[in-house]
Amino acid sequence: MFSLGQENISTSPTSTKGPIKYGELIVLGCNGSLPNGDKGRRKSRFALCRRNKANGVKPSTVHTSCTPQAAKAINNKEQHSISYTLSRSQTVVVEYTQDSSTDMFQIGRSTESPIDFVVTDTVPGGQTNADSQTVQSTISRFACRIICQRNPPYSARIYAAGFDSSKNIFLGEKAAKWRMQDGQMDGLTTNGVLVMHPHHGFSQDSQPGLWREISVCGNVFTLRETRSAQQRGRMVDSESNELVDGSLIDLCGATLLWRTAEGLAHTPTLKHLEVLRQELNAGRPQCPVGFNTLAFPSLRRKDVLDEKQPWAYLRCGHVHGYHGWGGRRDPKVEAECQERECPMCRARGPYVPLWLGCEAAFYVDAEPPTHTFSPCGHVCSEKTAAYWSQILLPHGTHAFHAACPFCILPLSEESGCVRLIFQSPLD
């Protein structure tokens, strides 16, 4: 899963296992890959690995007016700088110099070369707007940057905004910006970069934290009243922009999950999920109406309806094969989530096909898949379902709702996850 096309990736001098990995970013709503396939820098997950040559930067000289030195810093394509336009007659320019102790990775919608990980808007239901020009994207072209320490403990910090092809970041007159007590400038991007650090890491005991906004200089703030409001939130000195295992990063159109290399080492792999699928199928679960054996399709066929596909009544959790009892005869029409009455307990509710969650990085444990998200039908372990059901993800300009991590479809308010009830074979 190491990123392809990344120049200057280094290998540990004491290890033959390949590059030193800082961590990975995984796009929520992608069940193992982008809907149209992973291509180049546009993919569902991106590994941040130590580069052969450090490319990190840190702030240095501050020019407080439109001086020749400031203009030179902006026009010099070898010099990183951030420009804060205070008025038509005054611009503060902060020069950045090379930092040999860090690596920088940039994320955004732009396909220009400074962007390491190209992210497009995620549409609920496992689709993206990558090939559609009808919906205007709310993700910034140069959304954010992550700075990783090249030496242990390989900490990763996030900052709003990324440097463009000219190595500049411009904050215009309308952008929220201010001068700090130490004389340095800081600001927020138009739609902001929001971060949520979970409590107790990313594990069975994880609890969601509070959403915060990260500034261009990496300071932490409470949320603005609306996503693009001019007035910044309150600064939270007690919190940090350092990413932890399970941190969520929202770019206003797509949400990314940060997993550390250490965290991923304790996470189930795709092979492990395949073993769990085979064990589930080996139990030969049976449809209580048709008495036919049910089987989850292979992970490679995760989006193709199969004749042995398990279906479930989401009000009660009873698992069946597809049948026309008490409803329509066409499974494609049925998949549109028409209400049906369960023949086992008479509970009425959505009747949907079940799909295994194939993105292993979303799992908080390695337990068997026993629960499904409602109303999408993605199946995972009990604690994974419980964890994601209590996380409220940013939606629109100021709304939040819980969603399935595998398809980002909003969860049912009545019951976001449901325990599945399988019937064993009669013999």
Side-chain angles (χ1 to χ4, degrees), residues 130-283:
D131 302 317
S132 172
Q133 302 301 318
T134 56
V135 179
Q136 186 174 2
S137 177
T138 49
I139 299 174
S140 172
R141 294 174 66 245
F142 301 92
C144 67
R145 60 199 192 278
I146 293 176
I147 303 289
C148 299
Q149 290 291 331
R150 288 173 60 83
N151 296 309
Y154 305 116
S155 62
R157 293 181 179 273
I158 185 168
Y159 301 80
F163 294 98
D164 62 18
S165 297
S166 300
K167 298 188 176 180
N168 295 322
I169 293 173
F170 292 97
L171 290 182
E173 280 189 71
K174 294 182 180 180
K177 69 190 86 63
W178 58 92
R179 193 183 300 276
M180 296 185 289
Q181 289 182 346
D182 59 2
Q184 290 279 356
M185 293 294 297
D186 200 357
L188 305 174
T189 52
T190 303
N191 289 328
V193 174
L194 308 188
V195 170
M196 188 277 283
H197 303 308
H199 300 302
H200 312 301
F202 194 73
S203 67
Q204 299 181 38
D205 302 318
S206 296
Q207 294 291 324
L210 296 173
W211 283 97
R212 303 297 195 195
E213 180 162 10
I214 304 297
S215 71
V216 172
C217 292
N219 291 308
V220 182
F221 294 84
T222 58
L223 303 187
R224 290 178 266 183
E225 281 194 18
T226 61
R227 198 71 190 241
S228 56
Q230 288 274 287
Q231 184 63 39
R232 71 178 188 266
R234 176 179 50 83
M235 190 168 178
V236 186
D237 292 318
S238 60
E239 296 183 23
S240 159
N241 65 334
E242 184 175 340
L243 299 174
V244 300
D245 193 32
S247 289
L248 288 172
I249 304 165
D250 188 80
L251 303 179
C252 195
T255 305
L256 313 177
L257 171 68
W258 169 257
R259 297 300 314 272
T260 61
E262 183 181 358
L264 286 170
H266 299 93
T267 295
T269 63
L270 205 57
K271 286 184 178 179
H272 184 88
L273 296 184
E274 174 62 18
V275 169
L276 291 176
R277 182 191 75 87
Q278 292 177 4
E279 288 177 352
L280 196 60
N281 289 346

Side-chain angles (χ1 to χ4, degrees), residues 68-104:
Q69 293 88 343
K72 183 179 178 182
I74 295 173
N75 294 325
N76 183 359
K77 292 190 177 181
E78 297 304 313
Q79 172 80 58
H80 288 84
S81 69
I82 301 181
S83 302
Y84 301 86
T85 303
L86 303 179
S87 66
R88 291 185 179 181
S89 59
Q90 187 178 19
T91 298
V92 176
V93 179
V94 181
E95 288 187 34
Y96 277 65
T97 57
Q98 295 299 313
D99 183 357
S100 61
S101 67
T102 63
D103 285 333
M104 179 171 66

Side-chain angles (χ1 to χ4, degrees), residues 311-318 320 323 325 340-343 350-351:
W311 286 60
Y313 291 87
L314 297 183
R315 180 61 63 82
C316 56
H318 283 114
H320 294 247
H323 57 75
W325 189 92
R340 284 272 295 268
E341 184 179 89
C342 173
Y351 174 58

